[in-house]
Amino acid sequence: MSEKEQTFERIREELAGNEVVLFMKGTPVFPQCGFSAVTVQVLSRLGLKFKGIDILSDPAIRTHLKEFSDWPTFPQLYVKGEFVGGCDIVKEMYQNGELQQYLTDKGVAVQEA
Amino acid sequence: MAMDASEIESMIKDALPDAQVRIDDLRGDGDHYAATVVSSAFAGKTRVQQHQMVYAALKGRMGGQLHALQLTTQTP
């Protein structure tokens, strides 16, 4: 298996094992980029449990996730294996209430603070 | 090196000819932009697909040369 296929497989495993996954720069506690920080903030406000994966410390994912998602930047949010979008989309969906509705429809518990 | 606002605008218009494009230079440093793109080509697409269309128009520069482009897409 090529490194790309191995990485795709790892990404699929993360998505299968975690309802909400955020591929980001840095960690949820210490984001290393403003866009990642904003996205973490939105998820936290919704009281969501999510797995943060630091692409800065995982060069294979950093390289291949762009192709996996057909999305050129980070962060990238996945819910139940489905790609939701990057920071701008998450923020916009949160502000107009769409994100809360989307999560509820997906059966993901939301506890808005 | 960063991109010029006019270059971003013309690349988007090349791919989406009917698009109305507004580019704001957020910090005046030529590196942090916000783009609002209004095009009928977005009709019936999800927001992710709409953004992907704009990224495709930028031919790989997004995420590389262009780190910070805040994107908003709308249909007319």
Side-chain angles (χ1 to χ4, degrees), chain B residues 25-45:
Chain B
D25 189 339
L26 295 176
R27 296 192 194 157
D29 61 359
D31 201 24
H32 295 77
Y33 292 107
T36 305
V37 183
V38 183
S39 168
S40 58
F42 295 144
K45 311 271 190 205

Side-chain angles (χ1 to χ4, degrees), chain B:
Chain B
M1 203 19 224
M3 282 175 76
D4 219 51
S6 60
E7 193 183 350
I8 300 172
E9 183 175 339
S10 71
M11 287 185 87
I12 294 172
K13 283 187 169 164
D14 278 349
L16 304 165
D18 82 320
Q20 297 167 42
V21 182
R22 202 185 78 214
I23 312 271
D24 296 309
D25 189 339
L26 295 176
R27 296 192 194 157
D29 61 359
D31 201 24
H32 295 77
Y33 292 107
T36 305
V37 183
V38 183
S39 168
S40 58
F42 295 144
K45 311 271 190 205
T46 66
R47 208 176 267 116
V48 166
Q49 288 167 338
Q50 295 174 6
H51 284 217
Q52 277 165 339
M53 289 164 74
V54 177
Y55 293 152
L58 295 171
K59 302 188 201 300
R61 283 182 176 73
M62 190 63 202
Q65 258 177 302
L66 258 185
H67 165 68
L69 177 70
Q70 263 181 46
L71 187 57
T72 308
T73 52
Q74 285 160 10
T75 47

Side-chain angles (χ1 to χ4, degrees), chain A residues 39 42 77 84-95 99:
Chain A
T39 311
V42 167
L77 179 67
V84 179
C87 175
D88 294 331
I89 288 181
V90 170
K91 198 168 71 178
E92 194 181 336
M93 287 177 77
Y94 171 71
Q95 281 165 350
L99 186 61

Side-chain angles (χ1 to χ4, degrees), chain A residues 9 14 16 39 42 50-51:
Chain A
E9 196 52 42
E14 293 287 4
T39 311
V42 167
F50 66 96
K51 177 159 186 190

